[in-house]
Amino acid sequence: MIRVVLVDDQSLFRAGIRMLLASQPDIDVVGEAGDGREAIELVRVTRPDVVLMDIRMPVMDGLTATAEILGQPDPPKIVMLTTFDLDEAAARAIRQGASGFLLKDADPEFLLAAIRTVHSGSSVIAASATRELFEHFAEAPKPVPAQFASLTDREREIFALAARGLSNSEIAAREYLSEATVKTHISRILTKLALRDRVQLVVFAFEHGLA
């Protein structure tokens, strides 16, 4: 079971999401919170796998709560909920370590797929959307870390394509590789660069002028 916590100040919105998630045999909603401060305590008590976190809330906003939750040992994956597809707050949350963002009007099937994808740790939510977000809110690039030099030529090619938001299947078709081989390359790249997932790979690329 994927244990999920919902955090949003609109009770009607939470009720709708809860009904959707409750209809799935592999998802269990273990708690709800109406602001970030409640969310921190709820996460500590319930130990969820995934948190759906609204950005704008009273008492404590989603950014502050996300930073505090991700600072705890063995934190859950956090997906930010926003009404804007180009939201600077979402970009800040992803830089803090959130696993991606979802629009509040996303299709139910996309929301369910996103929860499962983030829980599996094997991919990200809309890497292409993340790329667009960071293109819009680009900052001055930082120096490239020394560990980037440890990537092989092939890994650098795969890195560049993944940073552009291409999926494993798209990279495989472009590079004439199997998806399994691409997945192995991505895993090695993430390990070498100490990145958690492909969202963090996109962030890394933009922060260091490699995108």
Side-chain angles (χ1 to χ4, degrees):
M1 294 291 287
I2 304 173
R3 295 167 54 82
V4 176
V5 158
L6 307 177
V7 186
D8 193 286
D9 62 326
Q10 297 180 354
S11 57
L12 192 58
F13 178 80
R14 294 201 312 269
I17 299 297
R18 176 185 275 276
M19 285 178 62
L20 172 67
L21 301 188
S23 70
Q24 304 301 302
D26 60 333
I27 297 176
D28 181 21
V29 178
V30 296
E32 299 180 26
D35 62 65
R37 186 170 295 163
E38 287 181 10
I40 293 169
E41 178 61 19
L42 183 61
V43 167
R44 187 187 66 79
V45 171
T46 60
R47 308 299 301 170
D49 302 303
V50 178
V51 177
L52 299 180
M53 177 79 74
D54 189 19
I55 291 179
R56 292 166 180 83
M57 295 180 291
V59 183
M60 180 185 288
D61 63 45
L63 286 177
T64 305
T66 293
E68 189 155 338
I69 290 170
L70 290 176
Q72 298 174 359
D74 193 26
K77 301 293 180 64
I78 298 182
V79 178
M80 309 308 294
L81 299 173
T82 178
T83 51
F84 311 107
D85 55 355
L86 291 176
D87 189 336
E88 186 172 12
R92 287 171 56 198
I94 291 170
R95 283 194 176 95
Q96 290 175 350
S99 294
F101 72 97
L102 279 173
L103 294 178
K104 285 192 170 186
D105 61 356
D107 291 338
E109 294 79 10
F110 187 79
L111 171 62
L112 294 172
I115 290 171
R116 294 183 177 111
T117 297
V118 167
H119 177 253
S120 74
S122 63
S123 188
V124 303
I125 299 170
S128 57
T130 304
R131 177 180 169 81
E132 183 180 357
L133 183 71
F134 277 86
E135 283 178 337
H136 195 75
F137 298 111
E139 298 179 356
K142 304 174 184 176
V144 178
Q147 64 262 38
F148 189 74
S150 69
L151 300 186
T152 66
D153 289 343
R154 171 61 91 181
E155 287 169 349
R156 290 189 190 204
E157 291 175 9
I158 302 294
F159 172 93
L161 294 173
R164 287 170 51 190
L166 273 66
S167 66
N168 284 358
S169 60
E170 290 169 333
I171 294 173
R174 190 182 182 108
E175 296 294 302
Y176 304 102
L177 299 170
S178 70
E179 284 193 49
T181 299
V182 172
K183 188 174 181 179
T184 298
H185 279 306
I186 293 290
S187 179
R188 288 174 178 166
I189 291 167
L190 295 178
T191 298
K192 287 183 178 182
L193 300 181
L195 303 173
R196 188 181 63 247
D197 54 32
R198 291 174 64 144
V199 161
Q200 295 301 304
L201 186 152
V202 172
V203 174
F204 181 96
F206 271 91
E207 286 188 336
H208 299 99
L210 298 168

